[in-house]
Amino acid sequence: MTDRTTGPDQFTGATPDNALRDADRAEAASGPMLAADGTPLKKSLNRALRRQKMRALMLIAPLLIFILVAFIAPIADMLFRSVENQIVSETLPRTVDSLEDWDHTTGDLPSEGTFRALYVDMFIAAEKKEHTRLGTRLNYEQTGVSSLFRRTGRDVDDFGELYEDQFNDLDAAWEDPMTWARILGDPDWIAEAEGAEAPGPDFVLRDGVETALPTTAEVYSAFAEFTQTEDEDNPLEETPWTLVYTALYWDLMRDGFAYSGPESALVTAAAEAAPGFETVSMQENFVESDKDWGSTAVWSTIQTYAPEYTPGYFLNSVDAQLTPDGIEARPENEQIYGILFKRTIFMSMTITISCILLGYPVAWILANLPMRTANLLMILVLLPFWTSLLVRTSAWKVMLQQQGVINDILVWIGLVDDANRLIMINNQFGTIVAMTHILLPFMILPLYSVMATIPPTYLRAAKSLGANDWTAFWRVYFPQSVPGIGAGSILVFILAIGYYITPEIVGGTTGTFISNRIAYHISSSLNWGLAAALGSILLAAVLILYWAYDRIVGIDNVKLG
């Protein structure tokens, strides 16, 4: 029963909502009603309702957590990769900061200070084996950068040997790891680290040393941290990187250099001798390692992709690119993604229409046959689900090839000449045929479930009123089956637009989908950012089509029986 005074959806029986309404009316009439424990009835009912909702939430909480962790979080993480670009700024932080004021339009290379910053960043990245990942990332934007970073990563360890040799020749104490530890390390840390089992306590920089030796303190801290975390050794027992010697030389040559800490005599002697050291330009070192460092194109690419977030992946997905001069279209011979998106949408719609044309008669027959016969035929519809997708696709590859079963039959009956066998594989035709066969059950089942609910008396009634068979079908039966067509179409189209196994096997170069390119970037090129951008665009396209379908047909009209 319903309460007509409060609306058709309000039950007049005993429900929590009705109890609350009764309590409100009673309170308004004669003051608050009390429960058995003396608390106001309304408050007691609200507390009981909250407990009921909490119990219901706890029952579904495991499912919600599973969906969040196993489904939503991975998708969100993958979509985030389409704009994420922290690898450049994290791997080359000093270089990125130094390039902020560089103008690529002048045609001049960055300053020597920028090359020094690159030396520090590249040395540390090479020690951590991170320079190859950065090279791979930038190689997506400019071909050849990957090999440039690999080659330089092998050579960068030699850039500072000249300074290391001169410091060691000046005084053998510079070869002792304890000398560096006393100059740069905190005395309490040294006391704890001496004799401690490797890697020892975490390195602590001496107070004030970063003022006198800023660059040396920074790179020695990086050395100590790497030694303890990666090599699991004690910095007191390891000779510093050549980078540390080079950084010390740069600090000693600063204007107004002054030092008064431990080993001051040794440092002062080095400062007095430093102006006479043989020097080398870091720019010359890099260009000697690879001449591409003398090209502004490499530096422009680093500067362009320095921000932590970039639209570059999405631009590549629509056959454009982010350049130092702005957004530009890719050369015509490199524009492939627009073609793939159009082909994917067109072929998915073609497959969906093919499934409707083939599945509708089958579903109609199943819905109008006796139950016993219909159940036997339904087994044939479900039979493909018991066979591997790979096996079914491979079978079509055998049947459709030029020396396959279908061509042999056509030649045998004389419809096709043996010298002019049909090409039905490795093209769009092969993909459409194979995928229509694979997705056909997903169209038949929704159609059948809806048609089975249409009373056959409707058609008899229409005929008794003078309608012929076609009119009775078109005006009476077909409109009632449209919800099944809608459900099957959405199901088939969404499955088709994301397929990649079947197009990969039978599609060749002209029958592949955008999903094949996404799979390639995920598993082969490892360009996950571009794969995420392509997937995001594909997801947006599906949502737009879904919205359009809802506006035209109405998603409420979609039924599964």
Side-chain angles (χ1 to χ4, degrees), residues 348-420:
S348 296
M349 288 184 173
T350 303
I351 292 166
T352 302
I353 294 172
S354 300
C355 287
I356 293 174
L357 296 177
L358 294 175
Y360 196 96
V362 175
W364 184 87
I365 293 173
L366 290 174
N368 289 276
L369 284 175
M371 184 62 67
R372 181 184 180 88
T373 307
N375 289 339
L376 291 175
L377 294 179
M378 181 60 71
I379 294 176
L380 300 179
V381 175
L382 299 175
L383 189 61
F385 290 121
W386 305 337
T387 308
S388 167
L389 171 64
L390 190 60
V391 172
R392 284 179 281 162
T393 304
S394 300
W396 276 111
K397 190 174 181 67
V398 172
M399 294 178 66
L400 294 175
Q401 62 184 336
Q402 285 187 287
Q403 303 300 323
V405 176
I406 296 178
N407 263 305
D408 286 344
I409 293 175
L410 293 176
V411 170
W412 178 65
I413 62 179
L415 291 179
V416 174
D417 185 71
D418 189 48
N420 299 304

Side-chain angles (χ1 to χ4, degrees), residues 261-324:
E263 304 287 349
S264 58
L266 182 65
V267 175
T268 301
E272 294 173 352
F277 278 10
E278 182 181 353
T279 62
V280 63
S281 166
M282 285 299 156
Q283 178 177 338
E284 293 178 359
N285 274 336
F286 276 98
V287 174
E288 183 179 348
S289 174
D290 195 303
K291 60 182 177 58
D292 284 345
W293 288 114
S295 168
T296 58
V298 173
W299 293 98
S300 297
T301 302
I302 296 175
Q303 185 184 51
T304 301
Y305 288 92
E308 294 185 354
Y309 303 99
T310 177
Y313 292 122
F314 278 101
L315 291 173
N316 287 332
S317 299
V318 294
D319 296 323
Q321 57 185 337
L322 182 64
T323 68

